[in-house]
């Protein structure tokens, strides 16, 4: 089992710096991996549209597995760059060779369970009458917006009289807390699965525990990451505007997707790798003797 290290808040900034440093060492190699992942996802979606009925739906569901697989492969490629070696396209298949794919897919199952649970909770809190009242409110607001008339405070209160606002706000608070918890649980999970060979569920628990114990570093990382994302987004907008002038909306969308897969995703993978290296005490790339059996994906 990986032991969790307690890090200073400044470690969050170091994760981001390490991500940019790793990317700068092999930008073209990581960009190629990103393009391969983008092409693989696109080909699967095209194939899903060509296949009839349930077979196409099955292929679409299969496409959901591509993202975690590519992420795990890019993590391995980043580790190779960190050790002074080249990142190769074959590294994208490393999770398959190591039989890590099912463990990397565990967060998808947890997200699905969370969505179903939150939907059930909302229905339990507000009931069918609450849904009807909220739907009526949305329709009335849309009609008023189209008419251009401004509502008075009394009219606004009258419209919201039948809507269970407090219970909806409580549900939104629970949704936010769930999102934060899932984000922390999934942050280092792929690295724990790929490198420390933890089972999928055990890696989620370890990632959540590590992020909670290093919440200061996570907060700094998220704040600085948001600032960096805004700066990158501005650059992307400029490139998209140029592409739109040259090739229209299709070219702009392609430039945006290309920037995400060749720059933003490798940077995030590098940050996860840097956080995993600092946050956990490792015993190499072999399964620790006390870890749960890798055959049991949900072992915790």
């Amino acid at each position: 089992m990986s032991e969790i290290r307690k890090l200073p808040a400044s470690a969050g900034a170091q994760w981001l710096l390490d991500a940019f440093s790793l990317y700068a060492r092999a930008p073209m190699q990581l960009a190629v991996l990103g393009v391969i992942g983008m092409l693989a996802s696109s080909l699967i979606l095209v194939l899903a549209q060509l296949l009839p009925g349930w077979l196409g739906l099955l292929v679409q569901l299969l496409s959901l597995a591509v993202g975690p697989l590519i992420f795990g492969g890019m993590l391995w490629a980043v580790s190779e760059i960190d050790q002074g070696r080249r990142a190769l396209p074959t590294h994208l298949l490393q999770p398959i060779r190591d039989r890590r794919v099912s463990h990397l897919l565990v967060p998808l199952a947890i997200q699905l369970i969370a969505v179903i649970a939150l939907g059930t909770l909302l229905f339990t809190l507000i009931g069918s009458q609450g849904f009807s009242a909220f739907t009526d409110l949305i329709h009335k607001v849309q009609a008023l917006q189209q008419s251009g008339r401004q509502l008075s405070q009394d009219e606004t209160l009258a419209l919201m009289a039948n809507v269970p606002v407090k219970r909806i706000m409580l549900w939104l608070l629970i949704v936010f807390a769930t999102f934060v918890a899932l984000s922390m649980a999934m942050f280092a999970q792929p690295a724990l699965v790929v490198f420390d060979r933890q089972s999928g569920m055990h890696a989620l628990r370890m990632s959540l525990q590590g992020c909670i114990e290093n919440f200061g570093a996570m907060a700094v990382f998220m704040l600085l990451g948001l600032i960096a994302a805004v700066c990158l987004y501005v650059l992307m907008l400029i490139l998209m505007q140029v592409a739109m002038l040259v090739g229209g909306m299709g070219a702009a969308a392609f430039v945006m997707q290309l920037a995400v897969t060749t720059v933003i995703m490798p940077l995030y993978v590098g940050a996860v790798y840097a956080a995993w290296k600092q946050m956990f005490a490792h015993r190499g790339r072999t399964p620790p003797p006390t870890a749960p059996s890798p055959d049991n994906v949900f072992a915790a």
Side-chain angles (χ1 to χ4, degrees), residues 12-297:
Q14 189 61 49
W15 301 343
L16 199 60
L17 291 174
D18 289 347
F20 278 97
S21 175
L22 286 168
Y23 185 82
R25 288 166 62 178
M28 289 304 299
Q29 296 172 29
L30 292 173
V32 167
L33 298 186
V35 169
I36 293 173
M38 180 181 69
L39 291 176
S41 300
S42 300
L43 287 174
I44 291 176
L45 291 176
V46 169
L47 179 61
Q49 293 176 355
L50 295 176
L51 293 174
W54 63 269
L55 195 56
L57 179 61
L58 184 63
V59 174
Q60 283 186 343
L61 293 176
L62 178 64
S63 68
L64 296 177
V66 174
L69 174 61
I70 296 298
F71 196 96
M74 290 194 72
L75 271 171
W76 191 273
V78 167
S79 73
E80 293 292 300
I81 294 172
D82 185 40
Q83 297 173 62
R85 296 188 286 269
R86 290 180 57 83
L88 303 174
T90 54
H91 291 150
L92 294 178
L93 301 177
Q94 192 65 39
I96 298 177
R97 287 192 288 265
D98 290 343
R99 300 180 181 180
R100 300 281 86 199
V101 176
S102 59
H103 300 278
L104 290 172
L105 296 182
V106 168
L108 289 179
I110 299 302
Q111 289 178 68
L112 178 61
I113 293 171
V115 169
I116 295 174
L118 289 172
T120 304
L121 177 62
L122 178 61
F123 187 81
T124 302
L125 286 174
I126 68 176
S128 58
Q129 293 182 347
F131 271 110
S132 299
F134 185 73
T135 303
D136 291 341
L137 174 64
I138 296 296
H139 290 159
K140 291 177 181 178
V141 169
Q142 289 176 345
L144 289 169
Q145 287 178 344
Q146 292 175 357
S147 66
R149 188 168 69 88
Q150 296 292 329
L151 288 177
S152 65
Q153 183 176 1
D154 292 337
E155 288 175 324
T156 302
L157 292 175
L159 283 175
M160 300 182 65
N162 296 324
V163 179
V165 177
K166 292 183 179 179
R167 281 174 283 175
I168 291 177
M169 294 299 293
L170 173 62
W171 181 78
L172 289 175
L173 181 62
I174 295 173
V175 168
F176 176 75
T178 302
F179 171 78
V180 172
L182 285 177
S183 298
M184 291 192 295
M186 293 186 296
F187 179 65
Q189 193 264 2
L192 289 167
V193 166
V194 170
F195 299 124
D196 292 337
R197 302 187 67 83
Q198 302 290 345
S199 71
M201 201 67 185
H202 185 263
L204 279 174
R205 184 178 66 81
M206 291 294 295
S207 176
L208 177 61
Q209 184 179 347
C211 289
I212 290 175
E213 293 188 17
N214 292 282
F215 189 77
M218 283 297 300
V220 171
F221 170 73
M222 293 302 295
L223 177 61
L224 295 180
L226 180 61
I227 295 173
V230 170
C231 296
L232 291 173
Y233 181 69
V234 171
L235 294 175
M236 285 174 55
L237 284 179
I238 296 173
L239 293 174
M240 287 174 62
Q241 289 296 325
V242 174
M244 188 179 300
L245 292 174
V246 175
M249 287 296 298
F254 176 75
V255 167
M256 178 179 178
Q257 187 176 11
L258 192 65
V260 169
T261 55
T262 61
V263 179
I264 295 178
M265 182 179 174
L267 285 173
Y268 182 70
V269 171
V272 170
Y273 174 75
W276 164 79
K277 282 183 64 179
Q278 291 189 10
M279 198 183 299
F280 300 94
H282 315 289
R283 296 184 178 130
R285 292 183 177 178
T286 57
T290 58
S293 172
D295 295 331
N296 186 356
V297 174

